[in-house]
Amino acid sequence: MHQAETKKWDLAGISLSVLCAIHCLSVPFLMGVLPMFGLDFVGNHEFEWVMMGIIFLVAGISYVNGFRRHGRKAIFAFFVAGVVIFTVVRPLLGHDHHHDHVHVNDLHHIATVVGGLVFVLGHWKNWHWHKPSCRKPCCSHETHA
């Protein structure tokens, strides 16, 4: 995969992660109006899991292709940390939806934003590490552990 294609995957991953954070922070406030626009599905858990799956898929493709170019295994730490935050930490913190009342668990939302930021940072590092014109020590194109 060429650098331009990897860059597109990183931009898609950053965009998805930001949209995920916006979704998480806005849905609790919009639960009353979403059904009026036929968007009530946006507030259910299945939608969240589909979004996370897409984020994981895009990050996986991007990080693997970036690793092939820059050789830094550290990129996979961002992937593992993000997946653990989304699939282990978030569920442990709970997220309760009730029929007429949404119970907002602040820690759950904070974990979601942190998980999204981990993926954004991973995409940014992935992009930064394989810039061929960069001469900074952090952009060295040697293989790193």
Side-chain angles (χ1 to χ4, degrees):
M1 184 175 286
H2 297 291
Q3 181 179 355
E5 290 179 45
T6 303
K7 184 177 176 180
K8 289 177 187 175
W9 282 106
D10 283 323
L11 287 173
I14 289 169
S15 300
L16 286 169
S17 297
V18 169
L19 285 174
C20 183
I22 291 169
H23 167 266
C24 179
L25 295 173
S26 64
V27 165
F29 301 106
L30 300 175
M31 286 301 288
V33 297
L34 288 173
M36 291 188 294
F37 299 103
L39 298 173
D40 50 329
F41 69 92
V42 173
N44 66 32
H45 294 292
E46 292 81 13
F47 181 80
E48 290 179 359
W49 283 101
V50 168
M51 279 183 70
M52 287 186 283
I54 294 169
I55 288 169
F56 300 162
L57 178 66
V58 169
I61 291 169
S62 177
Y63 293 177
V64 166
N65 288 308
F67 172 74
R68 288 179 181 157
R69 292 186 54 83
H70 56 65
R72 293 180 185 236
K73 295 176 186 173
I75 195 64
F76 298 114
F78 292 102
F79 185 81
V80 171
V83 169
V84 167
I85 290 169
F86 277 118
T87 62
V88 177
V89 175
R90 285 179 72 245
L92 287 175
L93 295 174
H95 191 174
D96 301 321
H97 285 276
H98 302 289
H99 294 291
D100 296 324
H101 177 263
V102 177
H103 174 71
V104 178
N105 184 329
D106 292 336
L107 294 177
H108 174 87
H109 296 294
I110 291 169
T112 302
V113 171
V114 169
L117 289 174
V118 167
F119 279 109
V120 168
L121 181 59
H123 286 291
W124 181 82
K125 291 301 285 184
N126 194 42
W127 189 354
H128 183 72
W129 281 338
H130 69 260
K131 285 184 180 177
S133 61
C134 185
R135 300 284 182 226
K136 295 178 187 176
C138 62
C139 291
S140 172
H141 296 287
E142 302 170 14
T143 302
H144 299 279

